[in-house]
Structure formats: structure tokens, C-alpha cells
Amino acid sequence: MTTLFDYLVKGGPVMIPIVGLSVITLACTLDRAVFWFRLLQREDRIVNAVLRAARTDLQQAATIAQEAQDLAIGRFLLAPLKLNQPTPETFRLALETVADQEFARMRRGDRLLESVVGLAPLLGLLGTVTGLIATFNNLNIGGGQGADTSKAAAGIGEALITTAGGMIVAILALAVFRVLVSLQARQMDYFSQVGSELELIYRQVWYEPLFQRPVFSSEVPPAPPSEMSYRG
């Protein structure tokens, strides 16, 4: 029974970097899977708790966000809440700055997967070429002796196995990359929505009331000076 290891051996030396790329893809996939699982599992609960607390106590909201600093959403919400009486512009700037940093962390591994998508098919093509070269060398065309069909078949097998291996690794890396891109796009929209809601709460509940002077009905605005006051 032919095992996976037997196929790798038949693929020739080009299968070594292809296997290396597959290991890199698997490691990147596991790392990103853990990251997104932890984030998506808890972020809705954290956001609801912070927004609910922000309507009554900003310090409590900051404490809730600080307890979730291990997640991107926690660091995002904590950035403006830890400021001391910021203006709405400063509040928004803090949100945007941390959001850019968190989006960069979310995109970690993307360039690696893009490189695997580009390199794996090329390595498969290289294995195809080397396998065909070995096949033609073993055919002994024009020679006096008969062709070594077993070695020729081995060369064809090397060409096909490396081609298939490169394509499989590239397809898997591309699938993982597209899933990550879709998750990142979803998080960008989610962060924008949550940040806008938190800023609106800060404006309406905490910032604008500071500049609203109560007007009492007994207050009568001073009358403008009449013309008689200017006559001597």
C-alpha cells in the first residue's frame, strides 16, 4: 500500500520545499484560527458591557475594557476611555490610531500566505520540468540498447506528483487567505460601528452637557439701550 511518505519520496527533491511550504501554511492557519476564535467568541459580550457601562460610568467602562486587553476589541475600546476628559476630536483620533494598529495585527500572516500561493505552483512546475528531464534521459532515444521504462516511469511520476503537490498547497493557502481577508473586512466594519457608537455616547452623555448652561424662565435678557440714553 502506497503511503504519503512514498509519494513524497517519488516526488523527488523538489517535494522538500513544497512540504516546507505546507508546514508553514498549516502553522499560519493554526495561529490565525486561535486568534480569530478567541476574538469572535468574546468580542460581542465585551462590546455590550463597555457600551452599557459608558452610559453611566466611564471609569467602569474603562475597567471592563482593560480586563479584555488581551483581545483587539479590548485595546480598541480602552484607548479613548483612558484619556482624561478628551475632546470628541481627540476621542475619535485615539480610536482611529488603535484601530490601525489592530488591523495591522489582524493582517499578520497574509504576506506569508500570498508568498506560498505564488511559490507553490512554481515549485510544482519546477518538479514537472525536472521529472520530464529525467524521463527523457532514461528513454535513451536513438541508443543501441532498449529504454529503461521503469526509470522513465519514475520521472513521469515525479513530474505529476510535484505538480499536484504544488497545486494542493497553493489552493489550501489561497483558501485560508481568502477566509482571513473576509474576517478582516468584517472586523473593520464592526470596529467602525462600535467606535461610532462609543463616540456618540461620549458626546451626548459626557461632553455636550458640560457646555449646556441651564436657562431659567425668571431670567429676562437685558433690554437694549434706547435712544434717550444717548441724549445729553
Side-chain angles (χ1 to χ4, degrees), residues 14-230:
V14 180
M15 286 300 296
I16 296 176
I18 292 178
V19 171
L21 292 180
S22 67
V23 172
I24 292 173
T25 302
L26 179 61
C28 183
T29 302
L30 292 176
D31 175 75
R32 295 290 84 192
V34 172
F35 171 84
W36 285 106
F37 177 78
R38 293 176 62 246
L39 178 61
L40 298 177
Q41 186 183 34
R42 297 171 51 194
E43 68 175 359
D44 286 338
R45 184 168 65 252
I46 294 170
V47 167
N48 292 333
V50 170
L51 294 180
R52 184 168 55 251
R55 292 181 172 89
T56 56
D57 188 350
L58 286 180
Q59 187 60 41
Q60 182 183 0
T63 301
I64 296 173
Q66 189 172 9
E67 293 174 353
Q69 280 192 98
D70 57 321
L71 298 179
I73 193 66
R75 295 187 292 269
F76 173 70
L77 295 174
L78 179 62
L81 293 175
K82 66 182 180 182
L83 300 178
N84 184 22
Q85 296 182 346
T87 63
E89 291 75 17
T90 305
F91 196 93
R92 186 187 312 113
L93 181 61
L95 286 171
E96 293 174 352
T97 301
V98 177
D100 291 339
Q101 296 173 357
E102 295 305 325
F103 293 152
R105 289 191 179 99
M106 291 178 188
R107 287 190 290 266
R108 189 176 66 180
D110 286 2
R111 293 187 182 276
L112 183 61
L113 291 174
E114 287 178 336
S115 300
V116 172
V117 171
L119 286 175
L122 294 178
L123 289 172
L125 181 60
L126 176 62
T128 302
V129 174
T130 56
L132 292 177
I133 291 174
T135 299
F136 286 119
N137 287 336
N138 293 317
L139 284 178
N140 194 21
I141 300 176
Q145 300 177 351
D148 191 344
T149 56
S150 61
K151 292 183 178 180
I156 296 175
E158 176 182 343
L160 297 176
I161 290 173
T162 52
T163 302
M167 293 179 64
I168 291 172
V169 173
I171 290 172
L172 293 177
L174 181 60
V176 174
F177 175 72
R178 294 309 304 173
V179 170
L180 294 180
V181 169
S182 63
L183 289 173
Q184 293 160 14
R186 176 186 177 277
Q187 284 300 114
M188 292 178 67
D189 295 337
Y190 187 69
F191 272 45
S192 177
Q193 176 186 350
V194 171
S196 298
E197 188 171 351
L198 182 61
E199 181 186 354
L200 184 61
I201 292 173
Y202 178 74
R203 282 177 177 269
Q204 292 182 334
V205 178
W206 301 100
Y207 186 77
E208 292 178 355
L210 296 176
F211 301 94
Q212 293 178 355
R213 178 174 176 269
V215 178
F216 300 98
S217 58
S218 60
E219 293 184 355
V220 178
S226 61
E227 294 181 359
M228 296 298 294
S229 62
Y230 293 100

